[in-house]
Amino acid sequence: MGDDYISIETGTGTSNLNISSVSCGPGHGISIGRLGKNDSVAQVEQIQVTSCQFYNTLNGARIKTWQGGSNYARAITFENINITNVNHPIVIDQFYCDEAIAHNCPIKVNVTN
């Protein structure tokens, strides 16, 4: 499988972004992630993902934050999305941990559907 079709990551901040009518597959889906990696500051808000298709992907709609960072992800909307053969349709991971350093990570909270 490929990587994220769309990825919003830590940086100077992302706001007022509209993503619509995107077809993802195969791959990882749409990810708002790496927020707070390496103790960074992330500010992500007012993100709308609408009328998107996910097929044969590992993830569909995903939000992930690293422990230790100063960040927020708020006012994010996923609506009218169609999911076909997706392993993890919706993932909200508040304590993401890279597999390469998993032995140093606390237990993570992972909400999936």
Side-chain angles (χ1 to χ4, degrees):
M1 289 189 158
D3 210 348
D4 297 331
Y5 270 76
I6 296 175
S7 180
I8 300 165
E9 299 182 7
T10 290
T12 58
T14 302
S15 63
N16 299 313
L17 178 64
N18 293 307
I19 301 167
S20 64
S21 302
V22 174
S23 183
C24 303
H28 288 182
I30 295 176
S31 181
I32 298 170
R34 294 188 185 179
L35 302 180
K37 185 175 183 181
N38 298 323
D39 298 324
S40 62
V41 175
Q43 299 171 338
V44 176
E45 61 186 333
Q46 300 298 331
I47 309 297
Q48 295 81 35
V49 179
T50 59
S51 301
C52 293
Q53 309 287 321
F54 299 93
Y55 61 94
N56 300 326
T57 58
L58 178 62
N59 302 306
R62 182 178 191 192
I63 300 171
K64 64 181 181 179
T65 61
W66 287 76
Q67 57 277 37
S70 171
N71 58 69
Y72 62 80
R74 61 184 178 207
I76 298 169
T77 304
F78 292 94
E79 63 184 3
N80 194 27
I81 57 175
N82 186 358
I83 297 173
T84 304
N85 196 29
V86 173
N87 291 4
H88 309 286
I90 299 169
V91 179
I92 300 172
D93 190 345
Q94 295 177 307
F95 293 98
Y96 180 75
C97 184
D98 190 335
E99 290 179 16
I101 60 169
H103 63 280
N104 292 325
C105 295
I107 296 173
K108 64 182 180 176
V109 176
N110 191 358
V111 180
T112 62
N113 180 1

